[in-house]
DNA sequence: TATGAATGAGACTTCATTCAT
DNA sequence: TATGAATGAAGTCTCATTCAT
C-alpha cells in the first residue's frame, strides 16, 4: 500500500536536499556526496531514484517551472480590469519567490550554462512564458484597456521587472510585502513615474 | 616600451579568446586548452599572464564592468530633463549589449555560481549600481521631476527592465534599434501603459 | 525431506539462471540483479544459497566439470581397441558441447581471469585431465597399440583438438554430428592426413 | 625531429606496461593505476595517449594479431612439401608463444568477455584465420598432397592443436623446443599415431 | 525464508596546473 | 618567454553485498 508513497517520498526527500544544495552552491559546486549527506542517505541511494546528477537537476527544474506556472496565475478571469490582472500576475510572482527561495534561485539563475540540452529547454520555457505574456497584452490592447504600445518590447520589460525581484528577495533577503509591492509596481506600470500635470506631453 | 605593450597586447589577446569561449560555453564547460587554441597560443602561456582560470574570468568581469559603467552613462548632465536622462541611460545599456554580445553574456549570466568570492563581488557590483540608480531617482524626486514613488522598488524595476533585454539581443539575436527602443521604454516608464483618459485615477 | 529438496531445487534454479546469464554475458558483465530476474526471484535470495557471486560461479564450474568428466567417458573398458576408445572420448566431448552449450561456454572460456584462486583451480583441473589423458596414451603405448610418440606432446595436441570444437559448436552454431565427426577426427588422429602410398616412409 | 619518436616510444612504453598487467591480471582486474605505476608514469598520462582503457586493450590486440599473423608464416612458398609447410606453420606459432608470452596470454585468453564489439572483432579474426587455414588444406588436397578429408573439420582440429600449446608454454612454463616439437606435431598430423602394420585398416 | 532498498568502496576519467625544455 | 607533456586530485557512477522487514 505504502510502497508507492514511500518511493515517492524518498524521491522528494532527495529532490529537497538537491534543491537546498544546488541553490546554495550552484550546480557545478554541488557534489552528489553533499546532496546525499543533506538528505541523510547514502551516496548510492540517489542513483536508485535518479539516473544522473543532470537528470536530478532537470527533474527539479521541470517540477519548479510547473509550480511556478501555477503561481504565476495567468489564469485570472478576463472579467477583472487590466490593472487588477497585472497586479495578480506580479503578486503571484513575488509570492512564489518569497515562498520558494531555493527553487527560485535555481530556476532563475544558472540554467543555461550546464548542458546544451538544458540550455535549449530553459530558453524554450522563457519563450513560452513571453509568448503568453505578449498575448496577454495584445488582448488588452484589442480590448482597448491600454495604449497600443509595442507588445514585444513591453513583454520583455515586464518580464524583466518580474525577474529583477528574485535576487533582492532571495539573495538580499528583502522581506517584501507581495501585495503592497505588487500594487506599487502595477501602479508605476500603468501610469508611469512622470508627473501628471504635463498635459501636452504626447500631443 | 615595446615589451610592456607586447605583454599587454598578449594579455588582451588571451582575454579576447577567453571572452569568446566563456561566452559560448559557460565557465565550467570552457577548457583552458580551448582558450589557448582560440588565442592561437600554447596552454601554458596563459599562466604566464593569469594565475588561474578563475582569475582570468575575474579580470574579464572587472574590465567588463568598467566598460559597462562607462557606457551606462550615468554621467549625463542634470541639466537635461529626467526623461532625457533616463533615455540616455537605457540607450547606453542597449547599445552596450548590442556592441558587446559576448561580454554581455558573461557579465549578466552565470556570475554567481562559480566561486563564493566572485559571487560576493558580483553582488557588490549590483548593489553599487543600484545605489547609483536609486540616488538618481531620489534626486529626481527631490527636484520634483517625478512622482514620489518608492525608490527602492523603482530601482529594482528599472534594473530589471534593463537586464531583461540582454538575452533577447544576445541569445535571441534581436536586432534592436537602441535609440528607438530606448525612447519607447522611457515613454512607458514615464507615462505607463494605462489609458490617459482616466482623469481621476489617482485622486 | 521436502525442505531439503526445495532448498536443493531453488539452488539449482539459481544456478541454471546464472549459467544462462554468465554464458551469454561473461562473468563481469553479468549482474546479480540479472541473475535474480532470470531466476524469477529476489536479488537477496541468491545470497541465501550462495555466499557470493564468485562462489556461485565456482559451484557452477565444479558441477560442470563433474558433469563433463562423466561425459568425457574415460571410463571405457580397455577391452575395446584404441581407436574405439579414442572415438568414444571424442564423441563424448562433442556431445557434451552440443548438449550443454551454455555450460560449455563458461567452463572453456574465461575461467582464468576472474580470480586468482579460481585461476589456479581451473589450471589444476586442466592438469588433472591432461594427466589422465597422458596415462591413457602411455598405457596404449605400453600395450603396443600405437606408436611410441612423446605422450606429453600428444596429450596437449589431443586436448587442443577437443577444445577447438566448442567455439564453432556453441558460438558458430555448428550443428555437428557427434558420431560422424568423432569418427573422422579419430581417423585423422590414427592415420594422419598424409598419403598412404608412401611405401618407405616409416620403414 | 625526435618528437614523433618520443610520442611513439611513450605509447609503446604504456602498451608494454599494459600488456604486462593485462596479461597477469586479466582486463577487469587490471587497474589503470597499476598500468601507470608499471609504466612509471602518472595515471593521467595514459589518457594522453589512449582515450580509454578499452581502447588501450584494443590497440594491443590489433598490434598483437598483426605480429602474430606475421609469425604464423602462412606466406611460405608452395614449392615446399606439405609436411614442410605445416611444420613451418606450427613452428612459427610455437615460437610466437614462446617469445611473446604476455601477448599470447592476452590474445588467446579472455578476448570475448570484455566488450560486445571486441567480442565480434575477435571472432572475426578467428574466422579469418580459419579461412586461410582451410584454403591451405584445400589447395593441398587439390594438389594431391594429402588425403581428401573434411577440410572444415581438419581446420578446426589444427587450429585447436596450435591453440593448445599456449597455456602449457605461458602458464605452465614449458620450455618447449619449437623446432623439435613442430617436427613431432607435424609427424603425428601427417601419419597419425596408429601402428603402420595394419595393412587393411581402411579397406 | 524471501526480499529489495540502501549502501559505500572503488574504478574510470577529466582537466587545471606545473615545470623542464 | 613560450610551450605542451605530465600530473593527480577529485568527481560521477556502478554494483556486490547487507539487513530490516
Amino acid at each position: 500500500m505504502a510502497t508507492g508513497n514511500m518511493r515517492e517520498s524518498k524521491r522528494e526527500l532527495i529532490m529537497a536536499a538537491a534543491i537546498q544544495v544546488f541553490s546554495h552552491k550552484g550546480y557545478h559546486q554541488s557534489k552528489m556526496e553533499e546532496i546525499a549527506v543533506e538528505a541523510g542517505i547514502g551516496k548510492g541511494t540517489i542513483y536508485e531514484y535518479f539516473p544522473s546528477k543532470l537528470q536530478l537537476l532537470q527533474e527539479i527544474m521541470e517540477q519548479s517551472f510547473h509550480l511556478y506556472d501555477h503561481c504565476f496565475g495567468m489564469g485570472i478571469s478576463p472579467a477583472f480590469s487590466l490593472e487588477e490582472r497585472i497586479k495578480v500576475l506580479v503578486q503571484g510572482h513575488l509570492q512564489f519567490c518569497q515562498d520558494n527561495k531555493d527553487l527560485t534561485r535555481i530556476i532563475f539563475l544558472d540554467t543555461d550554462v550546464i548542458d546544451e540540452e538544458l540550455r535549449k529547454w530553459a530558453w524554450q520555457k522563457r519563450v513560452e512564458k513571453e509568448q503568453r505574456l505578449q498575448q496577454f497584452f495584445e488582448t488588452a490592447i484589442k480590448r482597448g484597456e491600454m495604449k497600443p504600445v509595442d507588445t514585444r518590447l513591453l513583454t520583455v520589460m515586464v518580464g524583466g521587472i518580474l525577474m529583477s525581484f528574485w535576487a533582492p528577495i532571495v539573495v538580499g533577503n528583502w522581506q517584501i510585502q507581495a501585495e503592497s509591492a505588487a500594487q506599487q509596481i502595477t501602479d508605476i506600470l500603468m501610469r508611469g513615474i512622470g508627473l501628471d500635470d504635463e498635459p501636452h506631453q504626447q500631443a
Side-chain angles (χ1 to χ4, degrees), chain A residues 79-131:
Chain A
F80 288 87
S81 75
L82 174 64
E83 182 157 5
E84 213 85 50
R85 271 143 56 212
I86 291 179
K87 197 193 130 185
V88 168
L89 232 71
V90 174
Q91 189 174 339
H93 173 87
L94 295 179
Q95 202 63 56
F96 176 88
C97 295
Q98 195 86 266
D99 295 344
N100 307 279
K101 295 192 176 183
D102 289 334
L103 229 49
T104 297
R105 231 196 211 125
I106 294 175
I107 61 178
F108 293 142
L109 184 53
D110 62 346
T111 314
D112 301 68
V113 269
I114 290 158
D115 177 79
E116 193 54 33
E117 199 190 353
L118 196 57
R119 184 200 291 258
K120 281 176 189 158
W121 179 82
W123 181 254
Q124 181 56 28
K125 278 287 173 189
R126 184 196 164 116
V127 168
E128 280 169 23
K129 186 184 159 191
E130 286 192 345
Q131 279 173 344

Side-chain angles (χ1 to χ4, degrees), chain A residues 133-145:
Chain A
L133 209 51
Q134 191 161 355
Q135 197 102 61
F136 175 92
F137 289 121
E138 275 165 7
T139 303
I141 290 172
K142 270 195 209 115
R143 291 167 64 184
E145 295 176 305

Side-chain angles (χ1 to χ4, degrees), chain A residues 1 19 41 49 59 66 76 92 97 144 152 166 181 200:
Chain A
M1 178 195 92
I19 288 166
I41 59 173
Y49 296 85
E59 292 230 17
H66 195 71
I76 187 174
C97 295
R152 168 106 197 256
W166 81 257
H200 306 297

Side-chain angles (χ1 to χ4, degrees), chain A residues 187-198 201:
Chain A
D187 190 54
I188 291 174
L189 188 62
M190 290 303 291
R191 281 169 288 278
I193 60 172
L195 301 174
D196 295 325
D197 52 335
E198 303 181 10
Q201 188 74 15

Side-chain angles (χ1 to χ4, degrees), chain A residues 59-73 96 103 107 121 125 132:
Chain A
E59 292 230 17
I60 289 170
M61 301 280 286
E62 257 155 46
Q63 183 172 306
S64 304
F65 269 101
H66 195 71
L67 179 60
Y68 176 76
D69 280 351
H70 180 73
C71 295
F72 193 41
F96 176 88
L103 229 49
I107 61 178
W121 179 82
K125 278 287 173 189
R132 276 179 299 158

